[in-house]
Amino acid sequence: MIKAKIEFDRIIFDSYSKKEFSPDKKLKPESILKCLHFASEMAYGSGYHKSQSFGGNSYNRSTSEIFINAFQGKLGELAVYNELSNLGIRPDNPPEFDIWGKGKWEDCDFTLNNGTIRVSIKSTKWFGNLLLLEKDKYNSKGQFLETFETEPQAYDFTFLVRIAGVKNPKPESYLEKNDIEVEVTGFMTHANFLEVIKQKQIIPQGILLGTPLIVDNYYIFAQDLTDVKYFRI
Protein backbone atom coordinates (compact mmCIF):
# COMPACT_ATOMS: atom_id res chain seq x y z
CA MET A 1 0.00 0.00 0.00
CA ILE A 2 1.09 3.56 -0.72
CA LYS A 3 2.24 5.47 2.36
CA ALA A 4 1.34 9.15 2.58
CA LYS A 5 4.19 11.62 2.22
CA ILE A 6 3.52 14.41 4.70
CA GLU A 7 5.61 17.56 4.59
CA PHE A 8 4.91 20.31 7.09
CA ASP A 9 1.08 20.50 7.12
CA ARG A 10 0.13 18.87 3.83
CA ILE A 11 0.25 15.59 1.87
CA ILE A 12 2.48 15.44 -1.17
CA PHE A 13 0.85 13.50 -4.01
CA ASP A 14 3.20 12.04 -6.61
CA SER A 15 2.18 10.60 -9.99
CA TYR A 16 1.65 7.07 -8.61
CA SER A 17 -0.55 8.17 -5.72
CA LYS A 18 -2.97 9.93 -8.10
CA LYS A 19 -5.75 8.05 -9.89
CA GLU A 20 -7.34 9.47 -13.01
CA PHE A 21 -11.08 10.15 -12.76
CA SER A 22 -12.92 7.86 -15.18
CA PRO A 23 -16.68 8.33 -14.72
CA ASP A 24 -19.04 5.44 -15.36
CA LYS A 25 -22.35 5.73 -17.18
CA LYS A 26 -24.38 8.72 -16.02
CA LEU A 27 -27.16 8.14 -13.52
CA LYS A 28 -30.70 8.45 -14.85
CA PRO A 29 -32.29 11.91 -14.34
CA GLU A 30 -35.10 10.39 -12.26
CA SER A 31 -32.55 8.72 -9.98
CA ILE A 32 -30.72 12.01 -9.48
CA LEU A 33 -34.05 13.67 -8.62
CA LYS A 34 -34.73 11.06 -5.92
CA CYS A 35 -31.30 11.71 -4.40
CA LEU A 36 -31.90 15.45 -4.65
CA HIS A 37 -35.25 15.23 -2.85
CA PHE A 38 -33.71 13.09 -0.11
CA ALA A 39 -30.82 15.50 0.48
CA SER A 40 -33.15 18.53 0.41
CA GLU A 41 -35.39 17.03 3.08
CA MET A 42 -32.46 15.96 5.26
CA ALA A 43 -30.87 19.42 5.15
CA TYR A 44 -33.73 21.87 4.78
CA GLY A 45 -36.89 19.85 5.49
CA SER A 46 -38.27 17.31 7.96
CA GLY A 47 -35.24 15.02 8.12
CA TYR A 48 -32.36 15.11 10.59
CA HIS A 49 -28.62 14.87 10.02
CA LYS A 50 -26.53 15.73 13.04
CA SER A 51 -24.49 18.87 12.50
CA GLN A 52 -21.61 17.53 14.58
CA SER A 53 -20.25 15.10 12.03
CA PHE A 54 -16.90 14.42 13.67
CA GLY A 55 -17.43 12.51 16.90
CA GLY A 56 -17.24 14.78 19.90
CA ASN A 57 -15.48 17.54 17.98
CA SER A 58 -16.82 21.06 18.28
CA TYR A 59 -17.07 21.52 14.49
CA ASN A 60 -20.67 22.04 13.33
CA ARG A 61 -21.75 21.59 9.72
CA SER A 62 -23.92 24.21 8.08
CA THR A 63 -27.19 23.18 6.40
CA SER A 64 -25.42 23.75 3.06
CA GLU A 65 -22.72 21.23 4.00
CA ILE A 66 -25.34 18.75 5.21
CA PHE A 67 -27.14 19.05 1.86
CA ILE A 68 -23.95 18.51 -0.16
CA ASN A 69 -22.88 15.57 2.05
CA ALA A 70 -26.33 13.91 1.91
CA PHE A 71 -26.71 14.45 -1.85
CA GLN A 72 -23.24 13.17 -2.64
CA GLY A 73 -23.63 10.22 -0.25
CA LYS A 74 -26.92 9.06 -1.73
CA LEU A 75 -25.57 9.38 -5.27
CA GLY A 76 -22.68 7.17 -4.17
CA GLU A 77 -25.03 4.52 -2.79
CA LEU A 78 -27.01 4.48 -6.02
CA ALA A 79 -23.86 4.21 -8.13
CA VAL A 80 -22.61 1.17 -6.20
CA TYR A 81 -26.06 -0.45 -6.24
CA ASN A 82 -26.21 -0.08 -10.03
CA GLU A 83 -22.66 -1.32 -10.50
CA LEU A 84 -23.19 -4.43 -8.37
CA SER A 85 -26.49 -5.13 -10.13
CA ASN A 86 -24.71 -4.93 -13.48
CA LEU A 87 -22.28 -7.57 -12.19
CA GLY A 88 -25.20 -9.84 -11.32
CA ILE A 89 -24.82 -9.18 -7.58
CA ARG A 90 -28.10 -7.88 -6.19
CA PRO A 91 -27.97 -6.18 -2.78
CA ASP A 92 -30.65 -7.30 -0.33
CA ASN A 93 -32.42 -3.93 -0.63
CA PRO A 94 -32.20 -0.89 -2.92
CA PRO A 95 -30.91 2.43 -1.53
CA GLU A 96 -33.02 3.82 1.31
CA PHE A 97 -34.84 7.10 0.57
CA ASP A 98 -37.04 7.32 3.67
CA ILE A 99 -36.74 10.61 5.56
CA TRP A 100 -35.85 9.93 9.18
CA GLY A 101 -35.96 12.27 12.14
CA LYS A 102 -33.64 12.48 15.10
CA GLY A 103 -32.76 9.22 16.88
CA LYS A 104 -32.62 6.91 13.87
CA TRP A 105 -29.88 6.47 11.29
CA GLU A 106 -28.32 4.03 8.86
CA ASP A 107 -25.21 2.24 10.09
CA CYS A 108 -24.85 0.13 6.94
CA ASP A 109 -25.44 1.25 3.36
CA PHE A 110 -26.15 -2.22 1.95
CA THR A 111 -26.23 -5.83 2.97
CA LEU A 112 -25.64 -8.81 0.69
CA ASN A 113 -26.34 -12.53 0.96
CA ASN A 114 -29.39 -12.18 3.24
CA GLY A 115 -27.76 -9.75 5.63
CA THR A 116 -24.57 -11.72 6.24
CA ILE A 117 -22.33 -9.28 4.32
CA ARG A 118 -22.19 -5.62 5.34
CA VAL A 119 -21.21 -2.89 2.87
CA SER A 120 -20.19 0.71 3.54
CA ILE A 121 -19.95 3.38 0.84
CA LYS A 122 -17.84 6.52 1.06
CA SER A 123 -18.06 9.32 -1.48
CA THR A 124 -15.76 12.20 -2.27
CA LYS A 125 -15.17 14.85 -4.93
CA TRP A 126 -13.97 13.73 -8.36
CA PHE A 127 -10.38 14.82 -7.72
CA GLY A 128 -10.06 13.03 -4.37
CA ASN A 129 -7.38 10.37 -4.10
CA LEU A 130 -8.02 9.04 -0.61
CA LEU A 131 -10.58 6.83 1.08
CA LEU A 132 -10.77 8.35 4.57
CA LEU A 133 -12.30 6.78 7.69
CA GLU A 134 -12.54 8.74 10.92
CA LYS A 135 -10.24 6.96 13.35
CA ASP A 136 -12.36 7.43 16.47
CA LYS A 137 -15.37 5.75 14.85
CA TYR A 138 -13.60 2.37 14.69
CA ASN A 139 -12.05 0.11 17.30
CA SER A 140 -8.79 -1.82 16.97
CA LYS A 141 -10.70 -4.71 15.32
CA GLY A 142 -11.89 -2.41 12.55
CA GLN A 143 -15.47 -2.47 13.83
CA PHE A 144 -17.71 0.56 13.40
CA LEU A 145 -18.70 1.98 16.78
CA GLU A 146 -21.72 4.12 15.87
CA THR A 147 -24.09 1.30 14.99
CA PHE A 148 -27.83 1.68 15.55
CA GLU A 149 -29.05 -0.42 18.49
CA THR A 150 -26.39 -3.12 17.96
CA GLU A 151 -22.91 -3.95 19.17
CA PRO A 152 -19.98 -2.60 17.09
CA GLN A 153 -19.77 -4.41 13.76
CA ALA A 154 -17.27 -4.58 10.91
CA TYR A 155 -17.95 -3.80 7.29
CA ASP A 156 -16.99 -6.66 5.00
CA PHE A 157 -16.44 -4.26 2.10
CA THR A 158 -15.99 -0.49 1.86
CA PHE A 159 -16.40 1.24 -1.51
CA LEU A 160 -15.16 4.64 -2.63
CA VAL A 161 -17.20 6.64 -5.14
CA ARG A 162 -15.90 9.85 -6.70
CA ILE A 163 -18.45 12.38 -7.90
CA ALA A 164 -18.25 15.45 -10.15
CA GLY A 165 -20.89 18.16 -10.47
CA VAL A 166 -22.08 18.40 -6.84
CA LYS A 167 -21.01 21.77 -5.50
CA ASN A 168 -24.02 24.08 -5.37
CA PRO A 169 -25.92 24.02 -2.03
CA LYS A 170 -29.13 25.22 -3.70
CA PRO A 171 -31.29 22.19 -4.67
CA GLU A 172 -33.13 24.11 -7.39
CA SER A 173 -29.89 24.62 -9.31
CA TYR A 174 -29.84 20.93 -10.22
CA LEU A 175 -33.34 21.14 -11.71
CA GLU A 176 -32.17 23.65 -14.30
CA LYS A 177 -29.06 21.76 -15.37
CA ASN A 178 -26.78 19.15 -13.88
CA ASP A 179 -23.50 17.74 -15.08
CA ILE A 180 -23.21 15.06 -12.40
CA GLU A 181 -20.80 12.22 -13.15
CA VAL A 182 -19.96 9.28 -10.89
CA GLU A 183 -17.16 6.76 -10.71
CA VAL A 184 -17.18 3.65 -8.53
CA THR A 185 -13.46 3.96 -7.85
CA GLY A 186 -12.91 0.65 -6.08
CA PHE A 187 -13.27 -1.20 -2.80
CA MET A 188 -11.32 -2.60 0.12
CA THR A 189 -12.08 -5.67 2.23
CA HIS A 190 -12.17 -5.82 6.01
CA ALA A 191 -8.80 -7.61 5.86
CA ASN A 192 -7.41 -4.63 3.92
CA PHE A 193 -8.72 -2.29 6.61
CA LEU A 194 -7.09 -4.34 9.37
CA GLU A 195 -3.80 -3.96 7.50
CA VAL A 196 -4.34 -0.19 7.36
CA ILE A 197 -4.84 -0.18 11.14
CA LYS A 198 -1.81 -2.41 11.71
CA GLN A 199 0.40 -0.21 9.53
CA LYS A 200 -0.94 2.89 11.33
CA GLN A 201 -1.92 4.57 8.10
CA ILE A 202 -3.27 7.68 9.79
CA ILE A 203 -3.44 11.26 8.59
CA PRO A 204 -3.52 13.47 11.69
CA GLN A 205 -5.94 16.24 12.46
CA GLY A 206 -4.95 19.58 10.95
CA ILE A 207 -3.25 18.25 7.80
CA LEU A 208 -4.40 20.19 4.73
CA LEU A 209 -6.53 18.36 2.19
CA GLY A 210 -7.96 21.44 0.58
CA THR A 211 -9.07 22.40 4.10
CA PRO A 212 -7.58 21.14 7.39
CA LEU A 213 -8.76 17.71 8.54
CA ILE A 214 -11.08 18.06 11.54
CA VAL A 215 -10.08 14.73 13.15
CA ASP A 216 -7.51 11.93 12.69
CA ASN A 217 -8.35 9.64 9.76
CA TYR A 218 -7.29 6.22 8.59
CA TYR A 219 -6.53 6.37 4.88
CA ILE A 220 -6.01 4.21 1.84
CA PHE A 221 -5.13 5.65 -1.55
CA ALA A 222 -7.68 5.27 -4.38
CA GLN A 223 -4.89 3.69 -6.40
CA ASP A 224 -4.67 0.83 -3.85
CA LEU A 225 -8.36 -0.07 -3.98
CA THR A 226 -9.51 -3.15 -5.89
CA ASP A 227 -11.38 -2.47 -9.13
CA VAL A 228 -15.10 -3.19 -8.78
CA LYS A 229 -15.00 -5.58 -11.77
CA TYR A 230 -13.19 -8.03 -9.48
CA PHE A 231 -15.84 -7.88 -6.75
CA ARG A 232 -17.07 -11.31 -5.65
CA ILE A 233 -18.95 -12.64 -2.64
Side-chain angles (χ1 to χ4, degrees):
M1 292 184 184
I2 309 171
K3 279 282 192 178
K5 300 175 183 177
I6 299 176
E7 294 183 6
F8 300 104
D9 61 351
R10 66 188 67 236
I11 292 178
I12 306 301
F13 291 95
D14 57 28
S15 58
Y16 181 72
S17 63
K18 292 182 179 180
K19 185 177 177 66
E20 183 180 351
F21 179 64
S22 300
D24 308 311
K25 294 178 181 177
K26 285 193 173 184
L27 296 174
K28 294 179 180 178
E30 57 267 31
S31 297
I32 293 175
L33 281 176
K34 288 181 71 175
C35 296
L36 180 63
H37 173 72
F38 172 83
S40 299
E41 283 296 311
M42 296 307 291
Y44 306 115
S46 59
Y48 176 81
H49 260 219
K50 62 181 181 179
S51 59
Q52 286 185 313
S53 179
F54 304 98
N57 197 278
S58 59
Y59 178 83
N60 286 288
R61 293 184 297 169
S62 66
T63 51
S64 296
E65 287 178 280
I66 291 172
F67 168 76
I68 292 291
N69 293 163
F71 190 24
Q72 189 170 267
K74 196 56 67 174
L75 289 167
E77 288 181 32
L78 196 60
V80 172
Y81 179 84
N82 289 345
E83 193 67 32
L84 294 183
S85 298
N86 290 339
L87 291 171
I89 302 169
R90 181 73 67 174
D92 293 332
N93 296 292
E96 176 66 68
F97 288 95
D98 289 347
I99 308 301
W100 293 341
K102 189 174 182 178
K104 186 177 181 181
W105 65 90
E106 285 183 320
D107 57 31
C108 184
D109 293 310
F110 289 127
T111 60
L112 302 168
N113 200 29
N114 296 318
T116 60
I117 297 173
R118 291 166 52 83
V119 176
S120 175
I121 299 161
K122 300 296 181 182
S123 60
T124 190
K125 296 180 177 64
W126 67 271
F127 51 82
N129 281 287
L130 294 166
L131 168 56
L132 296 173
L133 299 171
E134 292 176 41
K135 181 176 178 292
D136 288 346
K137 290 188 176 182
Y138 298 84
N139 61 23
S140 61
K141 298 178 181 178
Q143 295 171 318
F144 187 61
L145 298 175
E146 296 186 3
T147 51
F148 183 69
E149 295 183 343
T150 64
E151 293 297 316
Q153 295 188 58
Y155 294 115
D156 298 284
F157 299 97
T158 301
F159 284 83
L160 176 65
V161 179
R162 299 194 291 184
I163 301 172
V166 176
K167 50 185 179 291
N168 196 322
K170 296 180 179 179
E172 61 272 19
S173 69
Y174 299 95
L175 299 176
E176 301 161 5
K177 178 187 177 183
N178 80 73
D179 54 356
I180 293 171
E181 294 181 305
V182 297
E183 171 204 80
V184 181
T185 310
F187 67 92
M188 71 171 179
T189 64
H190 182 60
N192 295 148
F193 185 34
L194 290 177
E195 186 64 21
V196 166
I197 294 172
K198 179 182 177 181
Q199 296 297 327
K200 297 182 179 179
Q201 291 194 194
I202 299 168
I203 299 175
Q205 175 185 358
I207 294 296
L208 292 176
L209 285 174
T211 57
L213 278 182
I214 304 299
V215 295
D216 295 349
N217 276 257
Y218 291 116
Y219 72 89
I220 183 170
F221 279 91
Q223 194 72 267
D224 278 334
L225 298 172
T226 303
D227 193 297
V228 67
K229 67 184 178 183
Y230 298 115
F231 185 79
R232 301 289 186 273
I233 59 172

